[in-house]
Amino acid sequence: MSTDMGKTGTTGQAPATEEPPDTGVRTPAAEDRHRLTALQGLAALSLDAMASVAYGPESIVLVLAAAGAYGMGFTLPVTLAIAALLVVLVASYRQVIAAFPDGGGSYAVAKRHLGRRTSLVAAASLILDYVLNVAVSVTAGVAALTSAFPELYGERVWICLGVLVLVTAVNLRGVVESAKAFLVPTAVFVGSILAMVVVGLFRDGPVSTASAAGHASALGEGATTVGALLLLKAFAAGCSALTGVEAVANAVPSFRAPAARRAQRTEVALGALLGVMLIGLSILIGRFHLQPVEGVTVLAQLADASFGHGAAFYVVQFATMVLLALAANTSFGGLPVLMSLLARDNHLPHVFALKADRQVHRHGVAWLALVSALLLVLSGGDTNTLVPLFAIGVFVGFTICQVGMVRHWYGQRPRGWQAKAALNGFGALLTGVSAVVVTATKFTEGAWLVVVALPLLVLGFEKIHRAYTEIGERLELGRIPQAPQRSRSLVVVPVSGLSRLTSQALTAARSLGDEVLAVTVTHPAPEDRLAAEALRRDWELWKPGIELIELSSETRSLGRPLSAYVRKLAQAHPDSQVTVLIPETEPARLWQRLLQNQRGSVVAHAVRRDTDAVICRLRFRITADAR
């Protein structure tokens, strides 16, 4: 029997774990089996950043191509500036991991050093970025697939949803399971990119240009000067390669002990691999004098130039396609942890703080999957529709985090704090400028949606927090309550006929209350009147010692007459506790639940809605061998 407390809710801190399916004691060592090592963390939380190698350098090239071949010469300097920012961000997030081992990244930093409202802006920006990352990653991966197999283009939405279901299912089994599943694709992608860079450095010229043959060049007319605005725009566009750098700091609790140290190693490894790949690809772009062409990615041209148009070329393309599709896993690793922190701070429903037996925030994973699926359907599986919305949120989070760390160093003032604060301040300036430039350049392309969504999310957080605060005040949370007292108890049992279920329900009711009332709802129709008379006659023959009360309903309604009777009973006995005990059967097989009439649910809903009575639902289990 389970008890539902009607309108009374729980507003305290949500529990960290759901009830496990077994009753064994779970030791820290057993829990560590469901947490990440540094290598597994690299596979589970770096896919977004790694996959950005496929479009980061291309974003730089496409902007600089407007200035012709002269502009293309600035590809490496712009990439080096982005790599320098990457070093700043990695150093900063290593400090964030050490200072905030409970995770949360920019949200946790802003909450401590910049105030609650700023922390909510950081959280909203991260949520938007994580959701959009799922949609962009999946659509980009499927776009690579449909480019190779054009006949699948018309089914791209269904393919996107299929990939999303796959990633979601793996993550519902645990973050370690997702890391194991995606370790090989990550290793293949990183290995192929590094091999391509090394091989390309030993080439005097491109081995093949077959992939670009027949495609129109996207290179602009020749220019002799490149303005600061163009370089700034190229820098901001290339900074899309930095998305995902913050994911490790957001998910520190997902690592094995010592979690902070493992997360720091993962952050450094991520930064090193990402920096080497970005710089290496930019060197190859200049070495091969690559020109962007329509319909062929820069990465495909580089693979063609380094390996030739053979098996290695297709390995790079296939690995890129797979990793782009699976890059959504970064969001599944970071966002549920962030949402759990928001829930514990009463800014999201407490259900998001629950953690299952495999250390999975299942509700956060499910919510992310549903919202991402909606975006995929609304965008028609088109990457270009989603890209203008992407990366703005992460730049806002970067900037807030860097400013918060400046305040952190100023407040702590350890040895060498001035240099660390200067580093974070410089990083905040760069990411802040990037956020402004990206928003301004993509505003009319759809970025305005992000600008509108950010304050709406913050308002939503505030509204949820106020609701929890009001309920907490009504429940007097944090105060010592009055000592519990015994009050007279009235138990109402809805019945529709005589059975073993009725007998057990009345027996349970007698053990719960001082007075038990059996209630049945009757209707004036002739066939219903005959059934009511038969029940009354059988009741008198049975003589259970409990009064049977008949409630007439002209409209065949079941819930309203019962709730009205319970309400009058509570008014007539203000010092008594009224309980409604609802007997229900529990079928032996799941499909048999479809055969139930749901009377219990109807009654429970009406009583919960209209009264303050306690609701008890008595389950009578029907076993497979029952006679």
Side-chain angles (χ1 to χ4, degrees):
M1 179 175 62
S2 61
T3 302
D4 188 334
M5 296 303 292
K7 295 182 179 178
T8 304
T10 301
T11 58
Q13 292 297 329
T17 57
E18 294 174 341
E19 188 70 20
D22 54 40
T23 57
V25 178
R26 192 161 298 280
T27 64
E31 289 186 353
D32 259 4
R33 290 190 296 107
H34 300 297
R35 291 193 168 98
L36 299 168
T37 64
L39 183 60
Q40 290 171 340
L42 197 62
L45 301 172
S46 71
L47 296 184
D48 178 17
M50 296 297 182
S52 66
V53 170
Y55 51 79
E58 183 160 7
S59 299
I60 299 172
V61 167
L62 289 176
V63 173
L64 294 177
Y70 183 75
M72 292 290 295
F74 287 87
T75 301
L76 182 58
V78 171
T79 303
L80 290 175
I82 293 173
L85 178 56
L86 174 63
V87 172
V88 174
L89 290 174
V90 169
S92 175
Y93 276 107
R94 284 189 77 255
Q95 299 300 328
V96 171
I97 291 168
F100 300 90
D102 291 333
S106 58
Y107 169 69
V109 175
K111 180 185 171 186
R112 180 180 297 181
H113 297 296
L114 300 176
R116 186 171 62 88
R117 183 63 61 83
T118 305
S119 71
L120 294 181
V121 174
S125 65
L126 285 174
I127 287 176
L128 288 174
D129 179 66
Y130 275 137
V131 172
L132 287 167
N133 171 60
V134 173
V136 169
S137 298
V138 171
T139 55
V142 173
L145 176 65
T146 55
S147 296
F149 304 98
E151 62 273 15
L152 297 177
Y153 184 78
E155 307 297 328
R156 64 189 183 281
V157 174
W158 290 108
I159 299 174
C160 286
L161 293 176
V163 172
L164 179 61
V165 169
L166 171 65
V167 177
T168 304
V170 173
N171 278 276
L172 285 174
R173 291 186 55 82
V175 65
V176 171
E177 296 299 324
S178 71
K180 292 178 179 177
F182 303 144
L183 188 58
V184 172
T186 305
V188 171
F189 176 79
V190 173
S192 62
I193 296 297
L194 293 179
M196 182 176 69
V197 171
V198 172
V199 171
L201 291 176
F202 286 95
R203 303 288 191 191
D204 294 328
V207 177
S208 170
T209 59
S211 60
H215 293 267
S217 173
L219 202 65
E221 296 180 1
T224 56
T225 58
V226 174
L229 183 60
L230 184 66
L231 291 175
L232 195 60
K233 187 176 179 181
F235 174 81
C239 279
S240 60
L242 302 180
T243 58
V245 173
E246 78 290 348
V248 176
N250 289 335
V252 179
S254 298
F255 285 85
R256 293 182 185 178
R261 189 176 304 171
R262 290 183 188 275
Q264 286 179 322
R265 292 172 184 169
T266 304
E267 186 73 52
V268 172
L270 168 61
L273 285 174
L274 182 58
V276 168
M277 288 191 290
L278 287 175
I279 294 173
L281 292 177
S282 295
I283 292 174
L284 292 187
I285 290 172
R287 188 177 186 84
F288 295 139
H289 304 290
L290 183 142
Q291 295 184 7
V293 298
E294 297 178 2
V296 180
T297 65
V298 168
L299 195 62
Q301 291 187 66
L302 291 177
D304 208 9
S306 293
F307 293 134
H309 207 73
F313 170 82
Y314 288 103
V315 168
V316 173
Q317 292 305 102
F318 183 74
T320 303
M321 176 191 70
V322 172
L323 201 75
L324 278 170
L326 299 182
N329 193 68
T330 298
S331 296
F332 283 97
L335 182 56
V337 176
L338 174 62
M339 294 178 73
S340 73
L341 294 177
L342 286 165
R344 295 184 184 207
D345 292 337
N346 294 334
H347 294 301
L348 281 179
H350 287 167
V351 69
F352 289 112
L354 298 177
K355 189 184 290 185
D357 196 42
R358 288 175 173 266
Q359 303 298 310
V360 181
H361 294 94
R362 289 179 177 171
H363 299 282
V365 170
W367 180 89
L368 175 58
L370 288 174
V371 176
S372 301
L374 181 63
L375 276 178
L376 290 173
V377 172
L378 292 178
S379 66
D382 182 28
T383 307
N384 294 328
T385 304
L386 296 167
V387 165
L389 312 177
F390 191 46
I392 297 174
V394 73
F395 285 131
V396 173
F398 282 161
T399 305
I400 290 175
C401 186
Q402 299 281 342
V403 173
M405 289 307 294
V406 172
R407 293 286 299 271
H408 173 77
W409 296 126
Y410 184 78
Q412 298 285 331
R413 299 195 181 189
R415 179 178 297 179
W417 70 272
Q418 295 95 334
K420 295 178 180 179
L423 186 67
N424 292 135
F426 180 64
L429 176 64
L430 292 180
T431 55
V433 169
S434 299
V436 172
V437 172
V438 171
T439 304
T441 55
K442 297 182 178 180
F443 190 83
T444 57
E445 300 175 27
W448 62 271
L449 287 171
V450 177
V451 176
V452 172
L454 270 174
L456 289 179
L457 272 176
V458 173
L459 290 175
F461 295 152
E462 294 278 22
K463 188 174 181 62
I464 292 172
H465 189 271
R466 284 196 300 270
Y468 275 127
T469 301
E470 292 172 1
I471 297 173
E473 290 175 354
R474 292 291 300 273
L475 294 178
E476 298 182 356
L477 294 178
R479 307 177 195 173
I480 299 177
Q482 295 179 353
Q485 299 176 353
R486 189 185 187 284
S487 61
R488 184 170 179 271
S489 179
L490 298 175
V491 182
V492 177
V493 182
V495 298
S496 57
L498 293 188
S499 66
R500 185 179 173 185
L501 177 61
T502 307
S503 176
Q504 287 204 357
L506 294 178
T507 299
R510 276 187 160 173
S511 67
L512 289 175
D514 300 306
E515 182 180 350
V516 178
L517 301 170
V519 178
T520 185
V521 179
T522 62
H523 309 290
E527 63 274 16
D528 295 315
R529 194 163 51 243
L530 291 175
E533 291 174 356
L535 174 60
R536 192 183 312 114
R537 183 173 58 254
D538 293 342
W539 195 273
E540 292 173 355
L541 292 173
W542 185 33
K543 295 180 180 179
I546 296 173
E547 180 184 1
L548 177 64
I549 299 171
E550 297 183 21
L551 305 176
S552 179
S553 174
E554 298 290 337
T555 60
R556 287 187 174 274
S557 174
L558 180 63
R560 289 187 182 278
L562 275 168
S563 63
Y565 174 76
V566 171
R567 191 166 57 247
K568 291 178 181 178
L569 196 63
Q571 293 172 352
H573 303 276
D575 297 328
S576 299
Q577 174 64 62
V578 179
T579 300
V580 179
L581 189 147
I582 305 170
E584 297 175 300
T585 57
E586 184 76 21
R589 295 176 176 82
L590 183 63
W591 69 267
Q592 292 175 339
R593 295 183 183 181
L594 299 174
L595 307 179
Q596 293 179 289
N597 57 25
Q598 305 301 322
R599 290 168 60 93
S601 298
V602 171
V603 172
H605 175 72
V607 173
R608 181 184 296 111
R609 180 191 59 207
D610 300 332
T611 76
D612 292 323
V614 173
I615 300 174
C616 294
R617 304 180 76 165
L618 175 67
R619 305 283 186 176
F620 181 80
R621 297 186 181 276
I622 302 175
T623 58
D625 59 347
R627 295 292 183 266

